[in-house]
């Protein structure tokens, strides 16, 4: 732990008082776990950045438009554990949740998603725990994305930890829909009314069709370029 974190931990221990040592221990272990998740996110993010740089060099276009990552907020962690009926303990977090560390990879085209997902899966320090293909099988509301849960080893000063990371891969267009739909659902008012749900689903279908057409245009351009060469 860096010196300033150690000092902060000591100050916190003093503030909490000896009689509340178990509370301090819990906080300390929680923060330590979050540091581990944050390092795991960095490892996986770097892997995607490396793939993107190499593929851009060879193909002259970037398959990844952007990458965002986050560590789940304490309230969301507690809320999810409660919904699952699991204990609210630090150990329970890594035992029961797969999405504390999350990375969203926004790709240019649908085939880029499968390409980079496959390349990541082939790396020998990555274990794919689960895949949900909401592109081939969209959710009923129209949501599309390719989800993976992977395990990655992270080397710390005195140990190696296997950490789980949730990866969501989607196109710019899928991300546009999911972000707006998420915001509207979050604000609630009328979001689950049948006519609103139907309209959102219809938008998702238009977007999916446009994604397919854009990929087709790119492939036609690539074919024409090959003919000219
Ligand atoms: P947040 O705030 O984005 O993290 P599991 O984790 O496998 O036990 P879960 O959580 O249903 O079960 O997994 P799933 O289906 O893979 O979905 C996880 C995440 O995908 C969600 O995380 C969202 O980020 C995204 N997602 C799934 N369905 C939808 C959807 O219908 N609309 C939008 N906009 N996003 C969706 P969280 O934890 O719900 O939220």
């Amino acid at each position: 732990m860096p010196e300033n974190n150690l000092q902060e931990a000591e100050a916190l221990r003093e503030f909490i008082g000896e009689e509340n040592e178990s509370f301090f221990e819990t906080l300390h272990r929680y923060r330590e776990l979050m540091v581990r998740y944050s390092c795991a996110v960095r490892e996986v993010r770097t892997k995607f950045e490396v793939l993107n740089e190499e593929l851009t060099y060879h193909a002259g276009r970037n398959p990844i438009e952007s990458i965002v990552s986050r560590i789940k907020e304490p309230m969301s962690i507690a809320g999810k554990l409660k919904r699952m009926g699991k204990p609210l303990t630090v150990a329970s977090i890594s035992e029961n949740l797969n999405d504390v560390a999350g990375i969203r990879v926004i790709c240019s085209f649908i085939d880029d998603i499968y390409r980079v997902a496959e390349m990541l899966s082939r790396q020998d320090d990555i274990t794919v725990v689960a895949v949900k293909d909401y592109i081939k099988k969209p959710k009923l509301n129209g949501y599309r994305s390719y989800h993976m849960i992977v395990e990655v080893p992270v080397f710390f000063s005195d140990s190696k930890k296997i950490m789980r990371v949730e990866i969501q891969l989607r196109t710019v267009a899928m991300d546009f829909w999911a972000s707006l739909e998420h915001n509207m659902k979050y604000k609630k008012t009328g979001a689950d009314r049948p006519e609103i749900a139907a309209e959102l689903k219809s938008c998702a279908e238009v977007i999916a069709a446009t994604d397919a057409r854009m990929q087709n245009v790119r492939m036609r351009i690539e074919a024409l370029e090959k003919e000219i060469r």
Side-chain angles (χ1 to χ4, degrees):
M1 222 193 283
E3 204 176 324
N4 56 346
N5 282 0
L6 270 179
Q7 280 167 358
E8 196 192 315
E10 278 315 310
L12 187 64
R13 172 176 259 147
E14 209 171 297
F15 174 74
I16 288 168
E18 267 174 34
E19 66 282 16
N20 294 312
E21 185 66 22
S22 70
F23 177 67
F24 171 79
E25 269 308 312
T26 306
L27 274 184
H28 174 61
R29 285 195 297 115
Y30 177 82
R31 291 186 62 184
E32 197 171 48
L33 183 63
M34 292 306 124
V35 167
R36 287 184 186 149
Y37 276 120
S38 141
C39 295
V41 159
R42 205 174 310 160
E43 294 274 350
V44 177
R45 191 185 173 116
T46 303
K47 286 176 178 293
F48 281 113
E49 284 167 354
V50 168
L51 285 176
N52 196 34
E53 192 163 337
E54 194 213 334
L55 292 170
T56 304
Y57 175 71
H58 287 298
R61 68 167 193 90
N62 52 316
I64 297 175
E65 290 278 339
S66 60
I67 304 174
V68 284
S69 50
R70 64 108 183 88
I71 299 298
K72 213 172 178 67
E73 292 296 327
M75 279 297 280
S76 302
I77 291 178
K80 191 157 187 179
L81 286 176
K82 265 191 164 177
R83 281 198 302 281
M84 295 167 79
K86 300 293 181 190
L88 293 182
T89 62
V90 176
S92 171
I93 297 173
S94 39
E95 275 161 25
N96 297 303
L97 301 185
N98 291 327
D99 62 344
V100 177
I103 298 189
R104 192 167 286 155
V105 182
I106 314 297
C107 293
S108 308
F109 298 95
I110 301 167
D111 58 357
D112 291 327
I113 293 176
Y114 290 102
R115 210 147 61 103
V116 292
E118 225 265 307
M119 285 171 176
L120 182 85
S121 309
R122 269 194 273 123
Q123 299 191 2
D124 59 14
D125 54 349
I126 287 281
T127 304
V128 180
V129 176
V131 168
K132 286 188 200 166
D133 190 343
Y134 293 126
I135 299 174
K136 292 212 165 89
K137 207 169 176 301
K139 284 180 74 170
L140 279 178
N141 63 356
Y143 175 77
R144 285 165 172 79
S145 213
Y146 188 86
H147 292 193
M148 302 168 83
I149 306 290
V150 302
E151 283 181 343
V152 61
V154 186
F155 293 85
F156 296 101
S157 56
D158 57 354
S159 60
K160 174 176 106 173
K161 301 276 179 211
I162 305 294
M163 306 299 298
R164 284 196 171 186
V165 177
E166 185 202 60
I167 305 166
Q168 298 179 351
L169 296 115
R170 46 173 84 146
T171 61
V172 183
M174 290 171 197
D175 190 52
F176 159 73
W177 184 93
S179 304
L180 297 187
E181 190 261 0
H182 185 271
N183 290 349
M184 288 187 273
K185 242 182 6 192
Y186 182 69
K187 292 198 175 150
K188 288 266 184 332
T189 27
D192 47 9
R193 284 176 67 151
E195 69 275 19
I196 303 266
E199 184 69 4
L200 278 171
K201 189 172 182 171
S202 159
C203 288
E205 274 152 17
V206 170
I207 283 168
T210 308
D211 252 342
R213 287 175 68 188
M214 292 298 271
Q215 180 169 301
N216 192 262
V217 169
R218 193 206 76 216
M219 286 159 88
R220 282 164 59 193
I221 293 172
E222 283 170 357
L224 286 168
E225 269 179 359
K226 265 193 201 146
E227 264 177 41
I228 293 162
R229 262 192 251 132

